[in-house]
Amino acid sequence: MRWRTVLLQCCFLLVSCLLTALKAVPIDIDKTKVKNTQPVDSAKIEPPDTGLYYDEYLKQVIDVLETDNHFREKLQKADIEEIKSGRLSKELDLVSHHVRTKLDELKRQEVARLRMLIKAKLDSLQDTGIDHHALLKQFDHLNHLNPDKFESTDLDMLIKAATSDLEHYDKTRHEEFKKYEMMKEHERREYLKTLNEEKRKEEESKFEEMRKKHENHPKVNHPGSKDQLKEVWEETDGLDPNDFDPKTFFKLHDVNNDGFLDEQELEALFTKELEKVYDPKNEEDDMVEMEEERLRMREHVMNEVDANKDRLVTLDEFLKATEKKEFLEPDSWETLDQQQLFTEEELKEYENLISLQETELKKKADELQKQKEELQRQHDQLEAQKLEYHQVVQQMEQKKLQQEFPPSGPGGELKFQPRM
């Protein structure tokens, strides 16, 4: 269903158009020639995790809206711009009461979850006297002013928030990867500082040997090129490379049969290329780098093939891409090991940031230690007061007993005569 595919996959232009439209052209395929081919039930395919902190809420809202016939019919006729602009959100006013009730409940649950997260965060920071309701403003995927009702405003905000967040998701992944690589290099250099000259030379020699070993891999085909796709056709699909046909290839790899190649289906095409460079059994191969390479390949193919930039590749877009010169005669593909991932200036800036963070953490640790010592001092003081209190009580009890039973001599006679 395209509406779910566009909304939950790719950078999704959220709530996109449809449950039924634009099916792929039927193609006859000799399944006997294809390795490990099994029928795919698209209803059983779980939508991917978007990576958004409100991912579960997003999926639940979609599930509920799909049950309303009127809304589903409007989706079939809507285009992506109509969805993104918020005009489609107005149709929420016409959905059934049963659907609105379910949406209201979902929103209440989401607001309660966000409040719980805020409370947990504030409790960890030991903040008090803060307006939790005001803090809900930081979440822009729902209308916090009406926490009990799901309105057209909520659907509009959810669409716009998810569209914006997902458009920046890949960029964020690249930034996190760059930090990961800089941290690796920083830790390596810091470790070398702890070694004597002989050990340091040994480590540097080992590092250089591992680097060269990693770079010694077979040629990687340009992602999306004819050579790359033919290799998948032959080695993954088990078909004769001389019979390569783009239409058949598209149909084979449209796993959920929705008429599109989405980001996950595209990324699956690069596995053979990535296996040339990365092996989880090899110490010199970093699997985090492999996923970054996969992301780069997918982005490149999307930029080349996805004409309308909806993060989905149609059959028509795919076939037009196979007619380009780049498909037949692509440039060589540079893998990560052939690129400079960061400069010395960027590394130095990152190390300065780390140093500031470590200083701040040390400051907080010292403050916590002082608080701990102060609490221990107060505890010891209370214990001393408690002991002193018990001693006083015992002395008073002893005096009371002495008054009730005056001291007597060896024969039991009183040592003094009581007053008459």
Side-chain angles (χ1 to χ4, degrees):
M1 293 188 287
R2 188 185 180 200
W3 125 274
R4 173 177 291 279
T5 302
V6 177
L7 182 55
L8 288 177
Q9 297 170 343
C10 328
C11 209
F12 330 10
L13 304 175
L14 224 270
V15 200
S16 188
C17 307
L18 186 77
L19 298 129
T20 57
L22 299 175
K23 295 294 183 181
V25 178
I27 301 169
D28 292 331
I29 301 173
D30 186 355
K31 295 291 185 178
T32 62
K33 296 182 180 179
V34 183
K35 295 179 181 178
N36 303 323
T37 300
Q38 295 180 352
V40 177
D41 183 355
S42 60
K44 294 180 180 179
I45 298 177
E46 290 294 324
D49 191 329
T50 63
L52 302 175
Y53 66 88
Y54 49 90
D55 176 77
E56 188 63 27
Y57 175 63
L58 176 62
K59 291 175 181 176
Q60 290 173 340
V61 169
I62 295 170
D63 287 340
V64 173
L65 286 174
E66 282 183 347
T67 64
D68 186 84
N69 293 332
H70 170 79
F71 200 84
R72 186 170 61 247
E73 187 177 326
K74 289 294 180 181
L75 280 170
Q76 294 176 2
K77 300 175 182 179
D79 58 31
I80 289 171
E81 286 306 316
E82 186 176 0
I83 294 169
K84 290 177 65 179
S85 68
R87 295 196 300 272
L88 187 68
S89 302
K90 304 302 180 184
E91 298 296 330
L92 187 69
D93 296 332
L94 302 178
V95 302
S96 67
H97 175 72
H98 178 65
V99 169
R100 289 298 293 266
T101 300
K102 284 186 176 181
L103 292 172
D104 291 345
E105 179 60 26
L106 287 177
K107 183 177 179 181
R108 285 192 290 270
Q109 292 174 2
E110 177 68 358
V111 170
R113 184 183 73 87
L114 296 176
R115 285 173 173 165
M116 182 179 67
L117 292 175
I118 291 172
K119 183 178 184 304
K121 181 177 181 180
L122 295 180
D123 288 347
S124 69
L125 298 175
Q126 299 181 339
D127 285 331
T128 57
I130 295 180
D131 185 356
H132 288 212
H133 181 72
L135 287 175
L136 283 171
K137 293 180 181 179
Q138 66 185 291
F139 303 110
D140 57 1
H141 65 288
L142 49 70
N143 179 16
H144 66 91
L145 296 177
N146 186 358
D148 298 317
K149 293 290 183 180
F150 189 100
E151 302 169 318
S152 60
T153 304
D154 290 287
L155 182 57
D156 187 35
M157 292 179 71
L158 183 59
I159 291 173
K160 291 178 178 178
T163 301
S164 175
D165 292 343
L166 290 167
E167 283 176 349
H168 294 90
Y169 185 61
D170 286 347
K171 180 181 178 181
T172 301
R173 285 180 61 184
H174 288 309
E175 291 172 350
E176 291 302 317
F177 173 73
K178 187 173 182 178
K179 290 178 182 178
Y180 167 79
E181 288 293 321
M182 289 192 291
M183 178 59 79
K184 273 203 321 183
E185 180 61 18
H186 167 71
E187 291 178 345
R188 187 184 75 84
R189 295 185 183 186
E190 289 299 305
Y191 173 66
L192 291 176
K193 291 178 183 179
T194 66
L195 305 177
N196 59 39
E197 186 175 355
E198 182 182 354
K199 287 289 186 182
R200 185 164 57 251
K201 287 182 178 180
E202 288 180 7
E203 283 296 322
E204 288 177 337
S205 176
K206 180 182 177 183
F207 175 77
E208 188 63 21
E209 180 184 345
M210 299 278 281
R211 185 183 65 80
K212 290 180 178 179
K213 188 177 179 182
H214 172 69
E215 292 176 353
N216 185 25
H217 55 71
K219 175 188 174 184
V220 175
N221 290 314
H222 195 97
S225 67
K226 185 175 182 179
D227 288 340
Q228 190 257 313
L229 298 185
K230 281 184 70 175
E231 191 170 275
V232 175
W233 173 275
E234 180 180 7
E235 297 188 17
T236 303
D237 302 331
L239 298 173
D240 188 336
N242 296 320
D243 295 334
F244 177 75
D245 177 66
K247 285 186 180 180
T248 305
F249 184 92
F250 184 96
K251 182 66 175 178
L252 280 172
H253 295 278
D254 176 18
V255 179
N256 59 0
N257 298 316
D258 64 353
F260 304 89
L261 294 182
D262 59 41
E263 291 185 345
Q264 286 69 41
E265 290 166 336
L266 276 179
E267 289 183 356
L269 301 180
F270 311 136
T271 299
K272 281 292 178 184
E273 300 304 317
L274 294 169
E275 287 176 348
K276 297 176 182 178
V277 186
Y278 300 96
D279 185 341
K281 297 177 183 178
N282 295 338
E283 184 183 358
E284 69 272 12
D285 297 336
D286 188 334
M287 295 301 104
V288 175
E289 293 178 357
M290 183 185 76
E291 292 308 314
E292 173 69 8
E293 191 76 73
R294 191 192 302 274
L295 173 59
R296 289 177 63 244
M297 289 179 170
R298 185 254 291 166
E299 285 181 323
H300 172 75
V301 172
M302 278 293 188
N303 288 333
E304 293 291 319
V305 181
D306 181 22
N308 64 356
K309 305 303 178 187
D310 65 352
R311 298 296 187 103
L312 297 169
V313 176
T314 64
L315 176 62
D316 184 57
E317 289 173 329
F318 184 77
L319 294 179
K320 284 182 179 179
T322 63
E323 298 171 359
K324 296 179 180 179
K325 180 181 177 182
E326 293 81 1
F327 180 73
L328 300 174
E329 301 175 13
D331 297 329
S332 60
W333 178 257
E334 290 189 355
T335 53
L336 286 173
D337 52 60
Q338 297 172 292
Q339 300 184 29
Q340 183 180 19
L341 301 178
F342 52 85
T343 64
E344 281 296 319
E345 289 76 13
E346 288 174 324
L347 178 59
K348 185 176 181 180
E349 183 179 346
Y350 183 66
E351 288 178 328
N352 289 337
L353 177 62
I354 293 174
S355 178
L356 289 174
Q357 291 174 340
E358 289 177 346
T359 301
E360 186 64 26
L361 287 173
K362 186 177 184 305
K363 181 180 177 181
K364 289 183 178 180
D366 292 341
E367 290 174 356
L368 289 173
Q369 182 62 31
K370 289 179 181 178
Q371 292 177 12
K372 179 182 176 182
E373 292 173 355
E374 176 60 21
L375 288 172
Q376 186 63 48
R377 186 190 66 78
Q378 292 177 6
H379 173 75
D380 294 342
Q381 188 178 34
L382 288 172
E383 288 295 317
Q385 291 175 353
K386 181 179 177 181
L387 179 61
E388 183 179 355
Y389 171 76
H390 282 300
Q391 290 175 345
V392 171
V393 169
Q394 288 177 351
Q395 290 174 0
M396 292 177 65
E397 290 291 335
Q398 289 176 355
K399 287 182 179 180
K400 184 178 179 181
L401 288 173
Q402 289 174 354
Q403 291 176 354
E404 293 177 356
F405 302 98
S408 58
E413 70 279 8
L414 291 175
K415 288 190 175 181
F416 63 88
Q417 292 294 326
R419 294 179 179 178
M420 298 300 294

